[in-house]
Amino acid sequence: MSILEYNGAAIIAMSGKNCVGIACDKRLGAQAQTVSCDFRKVFQYNKTFVGLAGLATDVQTMSSLLKFRKSLYELREEREMSPKVLSNLLSNLLYEKRFGPYFIEPVVAGLDENNEPFLSGMDLIGAPVYTDDFVVTGTATANMYGMCETLYKKDMEPEELFETLSQALLASVDRDALSGWGATVHIVTKDGIITRELKARQD
């Protein structure tokens, strides 16, 4: 088993019409043993969300490091950090530790200053990929790609985006032993952020 799969995770970010959504499961495991079912994997930085899948200790380390660097940027620049800048910052943080990497594969989702969706994903050394439909990470990636390719439509409204994200995530984690046990979905619109909790199979 890869160290990236040790704790289990499933995260999907998806774009809609002037909105963006990110969904993650809640399970924290130690291989096949479930330790907790309320573990945070998605973190909010203004109107940008970062989903961190991988080793749980590195998820917590990177989330606090990102929070610190974002606050420092905003004190210096006197403006909010855009999703693209946050994605580049995260990529650089990972790449500078490439010889002893953080064992995480992040996704970034948010709305830019024009309320256009921004999505990016990267590997554990920060090599980024930018997309305009959806990006997935975690132990259930094969399942999530299949579900997203089936259910995704362009220019979805926030409610339809929520439904699509939820169905894609729940169907995927039901077929993955290392993720699941409930889910959290965040939808970012120009008017605000909608957060909902989902029930899932507890097995």
Side-chain angles (χ1 to χ4, degrees):
M1 175 184 272
S2 158
I3 193 70
L4 287 160
E5 297 173 358
Y6 184 79
N7 297 117
I11 303 170
I12 308 175
M14 193 178 278
S15 68
K17 187 178 183 182
N18 296 326
C19 60
V20 70
I22 186 165
C24 70
D25 74 316
K26 295 185 183 179
R27 181 182 182 272
L28 169 67
Q31 293 179 327
Q33 181 185 6
T34 300
V35 177
S36 161
C37 51
D38 60 355
F39 186 69
R40 267 186 79 193
K41 296 167 191 178
V42 170
F43 303 88
Q44 183 181 350
Y45 305 96
N46 303 330
K47 273 197 158 184
T48 307
F49 283 84
V50 177
L52 302 172
L55 193 64
T57 49
D58 286 351
V59 166
Q60 292 175 327
T61 303
M62 184 51 80
S63 72
S64 56
L65 182 57
L66 258 183
K67 186 179 178 183
F68 165 68
R69 292 291 290 268
K70 176 193 145 298
S71 302
L72 207 61
Y73 173 94
E74 289 175 356
L75 277 170
R76 264 198 205 126
E77 300 281 330
E78 296 182 356
R79 61 195 167 113
E80 284 193 352
M81 192 180 261
S82 71
K84 190 169 178 57
V85 174
L86 188 67
S87 177
N88 287 338
L89 168 65
L90 182 51
S91 181
N92 288 330
L93 287 173
L94 290 169
Y95 189 69
E96 70 187 19
K97 288 278 193 286
R98 63 193 177 279
F99 298 118
Y102 293 109
F103 293 110
I104 52 171
E105 292 182 334
V107 298
V108 179
L111 290 181
D112 64 17
E113 48 277 6
N114 304 316
N115 290 319
E116 290 295 317
F118 173 88
L119 293 177
S120 76
M122 56 201 82
D123 66 0
L124 76 171
I125 57 163
V129 59
Y130 302 102
T131 176
D132 54 8
D133 46 12
F134 56 83
V135 61
V136 305
T137 185
T139 50
T141 47
N143 305 347
M144 290 189 291
Y145 270 124
M147 286 307 300
C148 289
E149 283 171 7
T150 306
L151 299 177
Y152 176 79
K153 294 200 297 259
K154 275 180 81 75
D155 294 333
M156 288 183 284
E157 295 297 331
E159 281 302 318
E160 191 182 1
L161 179 63
F162 165 74
E163 192 64 34
T164 303
L165 257 178
S166 304
Q167 294 292 348
L169 186 77
L170 291 176
S172 302
V173 299
D174 280 353
R175 290 159 179 80
D176 177 41
L178 300 178
S179 58
W181 285 68
T184 307
V185 184
H186 305 279
I187 305 291
V188 186
T189 67
K190 63 179 187 296
D191 303 317
I193 293 155
I194 305 158
T195 299
R196 295 186 180 129
E197 304 287 327
L198 302 179
K199 282 187 175 178
R201 286 174 57 141
Q202 304 286 298
D203 60 356

